[in-house]
Amino acid sequence: MTDLISFEGEIFSMIKEYSTDHIRNITVIGHGGTGKTTIVENLLHFSGAIDKAGSVENGSTVSDFEEEEIKHKMSIHNSLTFTEFENTKINIIDTPGVPDFVGEVRPSLRVSEGALVVVDSVDGIQMGTRKIWEYADEYKVPRIVFVNKMDKEQAKFETVVESIQQNFETPIVPIELPIG
Ligand SMILES: Nc1nc2c(ncn2[C@@H]2O[C@H](COP(=O)(O)OP(=O)(O)OP(=O)(O)O)[C@@H](O)[C@H]2O)c(=O)[nH]1
Ligand SMILES: [Mg+2]
């Protein structure tokens, strides 16, 4: 985390140092438009890294800051963000999901010890989900699946979980159930 200190009109930045056992790198991956950037924004907000969560719609997210990303309301490049949890620095890399840019995911997975796979609760496994799952297998990255957009009327959590269990070799078990 960075603290800014003003001293006789000059601003000095104090960078907090973390030992390597207090640093985690996590990459957020998923088919285009499943909500990766929105999730990263909210992770940053709820962990206290930013005061207010921005939105993709009004072009105010931390990750999608480039002119083209704001204009097209989609991620084009990897974005490195970070927050702190229990004295550990969590680097969170937001990645693009649309086919033209999904290749960006690979270098991020290479340097990550975990991935957050975002899947749409209505659409389930999509072409981009298969692609990023292959990449995560290639780099042997453990993953957590987040079934997003559970507010939608047609959301089908159990069906999505079953289809992941049937389609991918990596075994998955639900650890939180959405109720209500
Ligand atoms: N209903 C609903 N909409 C959501 C949710 N999360 C994200 N969205 C919307 O889904 C759209 C895509 O969200 P993004 O966060 O840009 O998705 P992304 O996965 O980062 O997209 P790419 O970077 O293009 O791969 C935006 O309009 C979001 O507001 C959710 O939980 N529920
Ligand atoms: Mg995005």
Side-chain angles (χ1 to χ4, degrees), residues 103-171:
E104 288 259 330
V105 163
R106 299 179 78 180
S108 294
L109 286 174
R110 271 189 78 171
V111 297
S112 296
E113 60 248 283
L116 178 69
V117 178
V118 183
V119 180
D120 188 296
S121 65
V122 178
D123 298 328
I125 298 175
Q126 294 168 281
M127 194 183 70
T129 322
R130 294 181 189 278
K131 188 94 255 148
I132 54 93
W133 201 276
E134 262 174 43
Y135 291 155
D137 281 343
E138 187 182 333
Y139 293 104
K140 298 187 173 56
V141 180
R143 59 216 81 152
I144 290 179
V145 178
F146 187 87
V147 181
N148 196 30
K149 307 198 183 182
M150 284 300 297
D151 55 303
K152 287 195 170 179
E153 223 171 275
Q154 316 93 312
K156 38 186 191 297
F157 180 80
E158 290 82 8
T159 313
V160 172
V161 172
E162 278 167 26
S163 99
I164 295 171
Q165 286 167 333
Q166 284 160 10
N167 277 272
F168 301 124
E169 283 177 15
T170 324

Side-chain angles (χ1 to χ4, degrees), residues 32-38 56 61 63-64 69 73-77 94-97:
T34 46
K36 300 176 292 296
T37 299
T38 308
V56 173
T61 62
S63 316
D64 286 357
E69 293 181 315
K73 300 190 196 312
M74 67 163 71
S75 306
I76 295 176
H77 295 116
D94 183 23
T95 66

